[in-house]
């Protein structure tokens, strides 16, 4: 599977959508900590939410590469937070698509791809994040139902989600005792405990969720009991590759802004580009962006073709997260005081980039995985 013209077209569609429907309102939405729900429907109508999903479930067909270039296009709206929440179905739906019954897929997937419902993925808990298999939210079988108790933290789109793919403990075995359930808004005992305030990703609603003896029918259990850990590990590959794309795309936007500013801003009687230190800084930034993008593109093609490249995906996530932060730091520096002002895009990009070495598995955990892939 390779990138072709259809991916270029889709990236351009997403960019146009972002420039028209996100960028003009971005500042306001960032301040408000969320964006209008209508944006999900607009994105669905524009064919953005369904890219890469099966047509019989309301998707637009295509392949996983479309969703990745979609991130590059959407980030032109200027807010990673908007993209993260608008596309939270990208991490919430795969367990249902991989392991759900045809009936479950018909029930849960089409309303999300139509932009009518919002989906979130809930793994992390107050007591455990990196060590996912130590999670303690329990689902206890009771007749034909399960009763879920516990809490989940840092859940993207969690404040507004209509359905949440929740990983629960159903058995004592650390890895083999985990199972996915779909918990739906309105189920008694399921509440949003807190909307969280963050360093970046302001327009993305991030929640702590509480499950107080939530009764969930067996029809909402995804896959067999104990199948959750393997499904999660597969899910992480998609999420980490997507975050790698956030990384190089964020860095690219910061580079573009810094280039434009350095040409137009003068000091000591010449443009900033008249100083060799600035030119070399921009050269180093451009090199990092090109290296990350090239690596991510090549890797995405291999992953989309079916290769299971855990070490490389972790490398891509780490490298892109790192260069995004370095390039954004340098871009802010080139902007001087203006780079510290909320009215500039680089200010937001630099805050948003800080999430990249943390979300979806931290840099340290990625390095552990890379080390393992080296036989260490
Ligand atoms: C904005 C945002 C959105 C998020 N969205 C979601 C979401 O939608 N769904 C979801 O389930 N989760 C989500 N998360 C959670 C995210 O995946 C976790 O924060 C992340 O996996 C790290 O877990 P933790 O925060 O518990 O850190 P911890 O696991 O407590 O780690 C703390 C520090 O210890 C280090 N550490 C831990 N173990 C090791 C080790 N073995 N070796 C070396 N160092 C180690 C870590 O690298 C880190 O530096 C989100 C987080 C944020 C900030």
């Amino acid at each position: 599977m390779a990138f072709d013209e259809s991916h270029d077209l889709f990236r351009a569609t997403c960019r146009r959508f972002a420039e028209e429907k996100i960028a003009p309102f971005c500042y306001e939405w960032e301040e408000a900590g969320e964006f209008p729900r209508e944006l999900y429907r607009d994105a669905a109508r524009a064919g953005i939410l369904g890219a890469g999903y099966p047509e019989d479930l309301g998707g637009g067909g295509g392949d996983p590469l479309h969703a990745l270039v979609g991130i590059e296009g959407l980030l032109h709206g200027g807010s990673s937070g908007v993209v993260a929440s608008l596309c939270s179905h990208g991490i919430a739906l795969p367990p249902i698509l991989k392991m759900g019954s045809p009936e479950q897929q018909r029930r849960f997937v089409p309303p999300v791809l139509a932009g009518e419902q919002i989906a979130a993925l809930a793994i992390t808990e107050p007591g455990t994040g990196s060590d996912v298999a130590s999670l303690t939210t329990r689902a206890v079988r009771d007749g034909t139902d399960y009763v879920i108790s516990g809490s989940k933290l840092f859940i993207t789109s969690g404040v507004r989600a209509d359905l949440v793919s929740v990983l629960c403990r159903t058995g004592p075995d650390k890895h083999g005792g985990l199972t996915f359930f779909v918990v739906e808004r309105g189920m008694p005992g399921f509440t949003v405990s807190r909307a969280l305030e963050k360093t970046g990703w302001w327009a993305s609603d991030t929640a702590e969720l509480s499950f107080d003896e939530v009764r969930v029918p067996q029809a909402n259990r995804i896959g067999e009991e104990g199948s959750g850990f393997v499904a999660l590990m597969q899910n992480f590959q998609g999420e980490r590759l997507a975050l790698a794309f956030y990384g190089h795309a964020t860095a690219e936007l910061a580079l573009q802004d810094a280039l434009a500013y350095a040409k137009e801003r003068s000091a000591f009687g010449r443009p900033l580009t008249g100083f060799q230190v600035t030119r070399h800084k921009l050269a180093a930034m451009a090199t990092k962006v090109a290296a990350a993008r090239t690596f991510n593109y090549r890797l995405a093609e291999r992953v989309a073709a079916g290769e299971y490249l855990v070490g490389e995906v972790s490398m891509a996530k780490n490298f892109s997260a790192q260069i995004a932060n370095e390039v954004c730091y340098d871009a802010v520096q080139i902007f001087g005081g203006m780079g510290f002002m909320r009215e500039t895009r680089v200010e937001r990009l630099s805050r948003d980039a800080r999430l990249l070495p943390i979300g979806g598995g931290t840099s340290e955990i990625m390095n552990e995985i890379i080390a393992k892939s080296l036989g260490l």
Side-chain angles (χ1 to χ4, degrees):
M1 194 175 291
F3 288 99
D4 59 29
E5 238 176 54
S6 73
H7 302 101
D8 292 338
L9 279 174
F10 185 65
R11 187 191 303 102
T13 300
C14 291
R15 180 174 177 168
R16 224 172 15 253
F17 179 88
E19 287 172 347
E20 283 169 19
K21 303 264 184 187
I22 299 174
F25 316 103
C26 180
Y27 186 86
E28 190 189 316
W29 296 346
E30 284 277 310
E31 296 295 312
E34 62 178 41
F35 54 88
R37 274 188 84 115
E38 189 55 32
L39 192 70
Y40 288 94
R41 286 189 205 100
D42 288 346
R45 275 195 291 272
I48 292 170
L49 295 192
Y53 291 86
E55 288 173 68
D56 59 345
L57 293 173
D63 57 52
L65 301 179
H66 286 100
L68 290 172
V69 297
I71 292 168
E72 295 177 318
L74 289 173
L75 282 174
H76 280 267
S79 163
S80 306
V82 170
V83 185
S85 273
L86 191 62
C87 299
S88 58
H89 66 295
I91 51 174
L93 293 185
I96 302 173
L97 288 162
K98 287 235 165 63
M99 295 187 313
S101 66
E103 203 265 315
Q104 288 174 323
Q105 294 181 0
R106 278 194 300 274
R107 196 172 132 216
F108 296 126
V109 177
V112 175
L113 298 184
E116 286 156 13
Q117 294 201 340
I118 298 172
L121 174 76
I123 310 295
T124 309
E125 301 184 348
T128 189
S130 302
D131 186 10
V132 281
S134 291
L135 62 82
T136 58
T137 295
R138 277 172 304 120
V140 178
R141 195 191 270 271
D142 183 25
T144 57
D145 294 340
Y146 286 83
V147 177
I148 298 182
S149 304
S151 55
K152 296 285 179 182
L153 194 63
F154 308 144
I155 306 310
T156 300
S157 292
V159 179
R160 305 199 288 185
D162 300 289
L163 57 98
V164 186
S165 301
V166 186
L167 191 60
C168 299
R169 177 154 299 291
T170 47
D173 187 78
K174 187 170 177 185
H175 298 94
L178 300 174
T179 309
F180 271 106
F181 292 84
V182 173
V183 176
E184 296 168 79
R185 172 189 283 276
M187 285 180 159
F190 171 43
T191 49
V192 176
S193 341
R194 279 192 298 156
L196 303 164
E197 294 187 347
K198 312 179 292 294
T199 299
W201 282 30
W202 288 357
S204 168
D205 56 301
T206 308
E208 177 169 5
L209 303 176
S210 167
F211 304 85
D212 182 11
E213 303 201 335
V214 183
R215 188 165 283 277
V216 174
Q218 194 176 316
N220 284 31
R221 190 190 75 206
I222 304 298
E224 294 301 314
E225 266 193 34
S227 62
F229 187 74
V230 173
L232 177 65
M233 291 303 115
Q234 290 172 351
N235 211 35
F236 269 143
Q237 295 313 297
E239 180 176 5
R240 288 168 185 165
L241 197 52
L243 288 167
F245 270 66
Y246 272 81
H248 77 238
T250 298
E252 191 156 23
L253 290 176
L255 170 65
Q256 282 168 11
D257 289 359
L259 269 171
Y261 191 79
K263 282 181 196 161
E264 147 210 320
R265 174 80 175 170
S266 297
F268 298 94
R270 57 176 116 159
L272 299 184
T273 48
F275 300 108
Q276 191 181 50
V277 68
T278 310
R279 287 200 306 277
H280 285 194
K281 197 173 271 178
L282 287 162
M285 290 158 75
T287 306
K288 288 172 186 174
V289 172
R293 195 204 305 109
T294 306
F295 181 43
N296 291 344
Y297 265 61
R298 179 74 191 105
L299 181 61
E301 288 180 338
R302 293 177 64 194
V303 170
E307 288 186 67
Y308 195 59
L309 300 164
V310 182
E312 286 88 341
V313 167
S314 299
M315 289 176 194
K317 202 246 173 197
N318 260 10
F319 185 65
S320 304
Q322 186 184 328
I323 69 106
N325 279 281
E326 290 171 0
V327 170
C328 286
Y329 182 92
D330 286 340
V332 167
Q333 196 64 22
I334 287 171
F335 268 72
M338 201 42 94
F340 201 59
M341 295 298 124
R342 297 259 287 280
E343 64 193 82
T344 60
R345 184 165 71 173
V346 290
E347 184 271 342
R348 190 178 314 122
L349 290 170
S350 70
R351 282 188 289 102
D352 287 349
R354 191 62 189 89
L355 180 274
L356 297 172
I358 298 171
T362 64
S363 299
E364 291 77 12
I365 295 302
M366 295 306 99
N367 278 334
E368 282 299 302
I369 295 169
I370 296 165
K372 215 177 268 175
S373 77
L374 297 174
L376 302 173

